[in-house]
């Protein structure tokens, strides 16, 4: 057994897989227990600064019949595009890394389904490893988990994976976290190696596109992400100490595994369906992506967020959740004030319009004013009763 194979086995034995198979992904996370917090109480505690969002989690309910109908619609409309985009990203990575192994590090949760698909596509004829680790806005990446990967595989061939960018907050967090470690990753690049399906914010190192589209796994939660929750960090961690103790999994961030949602779990079934489409429709294209595309997209994003912030008098831009996927998750996990839509006839925003009607959320139709986004959710300011 070579070094890389034994390293993979070592980390596999320490991590978890959720409802995925061992060959899909290893989550370097602890499974924790935490009492759920109601959406309104959570929103108040976040906005008041009394607690960070990573210290709380609300109950995740099974997807409704209507939500699954929209997921089926998103799958029918977007599965072939997803299969093609996975191949484009995979082909680009294969061309860049030559014969070197590729170590995929998915950011839990949104990056995991894409990471699993890339792992299988790249791994057919190339050595590839796949891990899922936590990154939390304003708290940073799980350095202990990341350092455990570096300790086993080195840093030269690490590629971070996320599903999409909205405003680019997570990529900026990643960039800041790795500022002292850039030489370990790729001294020829001024941003971390982050790949995404759709880079609305203009921050990715590599992306299949910068279009806001109805990514099928973007409108569901744990039932398409191995039954894992959003990651949890109950208490602040001393990152320097965590790195020194990188061999101790107790320093890793945590998650829940939602066993009560197992009857609704489609994580592996979804992967198998997309892989079958890939097999039936092979693609040799690479992703059309470069720094000029990225910077133009970044300016469009920043200008649009500034316009929304000024128009709706929002001082904290964390209350602005742009992109179809991010807007949908905000409606499900936060307390929405309003939904902004570019075109109400766009089939990609119909689930959001359904939620708006169901929950009496006001909707503004803004056309081209939304810039690169088809949808944005604004979070309601919540005060204690």
């Amino acid at each position: 057994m070579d070094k890389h194979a034994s390293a993979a086995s070592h980390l596999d034995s320490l991590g978890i897989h959720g409802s995925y198979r061992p060959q899909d992904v290893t989550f370097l996370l602890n499974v924790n227990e935490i009492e759920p917090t109601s959406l309104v109480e959570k929103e108040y505690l976040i906005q008041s600064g009394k607690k960070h969002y990573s210290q709380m989690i609300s109950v995740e309910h099974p997807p409704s019949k209507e939500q699954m109908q929209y997921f089926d619609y998103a799958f029918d409309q977007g599965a072939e595009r997803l299969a093609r985009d996975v191949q484009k990203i995979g082909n680009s990575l294969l061309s860049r890394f030559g014969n070197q192994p590729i170590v995929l590090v998915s950011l839990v949760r949104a990056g995991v389904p894409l990471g699993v698909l890339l792992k299988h596509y790249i791994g057919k004829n190339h050595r590839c490893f796949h891990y899922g680790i936590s990154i939390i806005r304003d708290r940073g990446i799980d350095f202990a988990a990341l350092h455990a990967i570096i300790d086993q595989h080195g840093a030269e061939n690490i590629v971070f994976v996320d599903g999409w960018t909205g405003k680019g907050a997570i990529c900026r967090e990643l960039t800041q976290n790795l500022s002292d470690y850039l030489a370990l990753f790729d001294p020829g690049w001024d941003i971390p190696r982050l790949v995404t399906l759709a880079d609305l914010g203009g921050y990715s190192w590599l992306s299949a596109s910068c279009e806001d589209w109805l990514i099928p796994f973007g409108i569901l939660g744990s039932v398409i992400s191995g039954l894992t929750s959003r990651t949890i960090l109950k208490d602040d961690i001393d990152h320097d100490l965590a790195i020194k103790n990188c061999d101790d999994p107790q320093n890793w961030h945590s998650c829940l595994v939602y066993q009560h949602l197992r009857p609704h779990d489609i994580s592996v079934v979804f992967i198998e369906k997309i892989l079958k489409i890939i097999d039936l429709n092979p693609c040799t294209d690479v992703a059309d992506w470069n720094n000029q595309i990225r910077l133009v997209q970044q300016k469009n994003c920043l200008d649009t967020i500034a316009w929304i912030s000024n128009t709706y008098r929002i001082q904290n831009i964390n209350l602005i959740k742009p992109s179809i996927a991010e807007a949908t998750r905000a409606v499900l996990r936060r307390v929405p004030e309003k939904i902004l839509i570019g075109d109400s006839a766009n089939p990609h925003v119909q689930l959001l319009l359904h939620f708006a009607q169901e929950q009496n959320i006001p909707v503004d139709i803004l056309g081209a004013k939304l810039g690169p986004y088809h949808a944005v959710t604004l979070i309601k300011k919540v005060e204690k009763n």
Side-chain angles (χ1 to χ4, degrees):
M1 186 177 288
D2 65 23
K3 175 186 175 183
H4 291 290
S6 71
S9 299
H10 171 63
L11 291 181
D12 282 348
S13 67
L14 296 177
I16 64 171
H17 305 289
S19 66
Y20 283 114
R21 301 161 298 191
Q23 65 266 32
D24 295 330
V25 61
T26 298
F27 294 104
L28 302 189
L29 293 166
N30 290 311
V31 178
N32 212 326
E33 295 295 333
I34 185 172
E35 286 297 316
T37 306
S38 72
L39 286 175
V40 173
E41 177 72 7
K42 183 177 71 174
E43 200 62 57
Y44 163 71
L45 292 171
I46 292 171
Q47 293 186 27
S48 66
K50 293 186 177 182
K51 278 193 174 183
H52 190 263
Y53 76 87
S54 64
Q55 297 175 293
M56 304 171 287
I57 201 159
S58 299
V59 174
E60 184 169 326
H61 298 286
S64 66
K65 179 181 177 182
E66 291 79 12
Q67 191 176 355
M68 288 308 301
Q69 287 174 342
Y70 280 107
F71 168 77
D72 291 338
Y73 172 82
F75 185 89
D76 291 342
Q77 296 294 309
E80 289 188 5
R81 173 174 184 165
L82 175 57
R84 186 172 61 252
D85 284 355
V86 166
Q87 292 179 83
K88 287 181 178 180
I89 295 171
N91 294 338
S92 295
L93 292 175
L94 287 168
S95 68
R96 291 169 190 250
F97 283 92
N99 294 324
Q100 295 298 310
I102 297 173
V103 182
L104 302 172
V105 178
S106 289
L107 305 179
V108 177
R109 286 186 309 187
V112 174
L114 175 58
V116 174
L117 289 167
L118 287 170
K119 161 65 162 56
H120 283 282
Y121 179 71
I122 293 171
K124 282 191 293 188
N125 299 299
H126 193 93
R127 189 183 299 164
C128 184
F129 306 94
H130 182 213
Y131 303 98
I133 70 172
S134 169
I135 186 169
I136 296 172
R137 194 190 72 239
D138 302 326
R139 292 294 184 269
I141 199 164
D142 185 343
F143 272 118
L146 177 60
H147 210 74
I149 296 171
I150 294 172
D151 190 50
Q152 298 297 337
H153 295 285
E156 296 81 7
N157 301 327
I158 286 179
V159 176
F160 296 97
V161 182
D162 207 355
W164 58 84
T165 69
K167 301 186 299 290
I170 290 299
C171 189
R172 289 195 297 273
E173 186 83 34
L174 183 62
T175 302
Q176 180 179 346
N177 291 170
L178 300 180
S179 60
D180 296 333
Y181 298 85
L182 272 178
L184 289 173
F185 288 87
D186 194 337
W189 287 83
D190 59 353
I191 58 173
R193 287 198 192 109
L194 176 68
V195 303
T196 57
L197 269 180
D199 185 12
L200 280 299
Y203 287 88
S204 299
W205 174 72
L206 176 68
S207 185
S209 79
C210 50
E211 298 172 20
D212 195 4
W213 65 285
L214 191 61
I215 299 170
F217 63 79
I219 61 175
L220 293 177
S222 67
V223 296
I224 204 165
S225 302
L227 294 182
T228 57
S229 72
R230 171 181 54 73
T231 54
I232 300 165
L233 187 60
K234 290 182 180 179
D235 303 302
D236 285 342
I237 288 178
D238 184 321
H239 288 307
D240 291 338
L241 183 61
I243 291 172
K244 290 178 182 177
N245 297 320
C246 64
D247 290 331
D248 186 356
Q250 292 185 30
N251 290 315
W252 296 348
H253 294 187
S254 303
C255 73
L256 305 179
V257 177
Y258 291 125
Q259 298 294 348
H260 71 286
L261 295 178
R262 188 168 290 275
H264 307 275
D265 184 34
I266 59 170
S267 303
V268 173
V269 171
F270 172 73
I271 295 299
E272 289 300 316
K273 286 182 177 179
I274 299 298
L275 291 177
K276 184 175 181 180
I277 295 172
I278 289 174
D279 288 339
L280 293 173
N281 300 277
C283 170
T284 59
D285 294 342
V286 295
D288 182 17
W289 192 255
N290 57 49
N291 205 42
Q292 182 178 1
I293 294 172
R294 185 179 68 82
L295 292 176
V296 169
Q297 187 69 18
Q298 192 174 119
K299 183 180 186 306
N300 290 340
C301 161
L302 293 172
D303 289 348
T304 302
I305 296 300
W307 181 85
I308 293 172
S309 178
N310 292 332
T311 302
Y312 291 91
R313 299 180 180 179
I314 299 172
Q315 294 182 342
N316 180 0
I317 65 168
N318 289 332
L319 301 181
I320 302 172
K321 302 298 181 182
S323 80
I324 294 170
E326 210 61 42
T328 302
R329 291 182 172 219
V331 169
L332 293 172
R333 297 200 311 220
R334 304 290 293 271
V335 180
E337 171 81 28
K338 183 173 288 190
I339 297 174
L340 314 180
I341 298 291
D343 178 6
S344 60
N346 184 340
H348 289 198
V349 302
Q350 297 310 304
L351 176 60
L352 277 166
L353 292 175
H354 164 76
F355 284 143
Q357 184 177 25
E358 184 180 62
Q359 301 178 34
N360 295 315
I361 306 169
V363 175
D364 286 356
I365 310 299
L366 297 173
K369 292 177 181 178
L370 273 191
Y373 305 111
H374 288 315
V376 176
T377 292
L378 306 181
I379 303 299
K380 186 175 184 178
K381 291 183 180 178
V382 175
E383 298 179 1
K384 190 74 171 178
N385 293 328

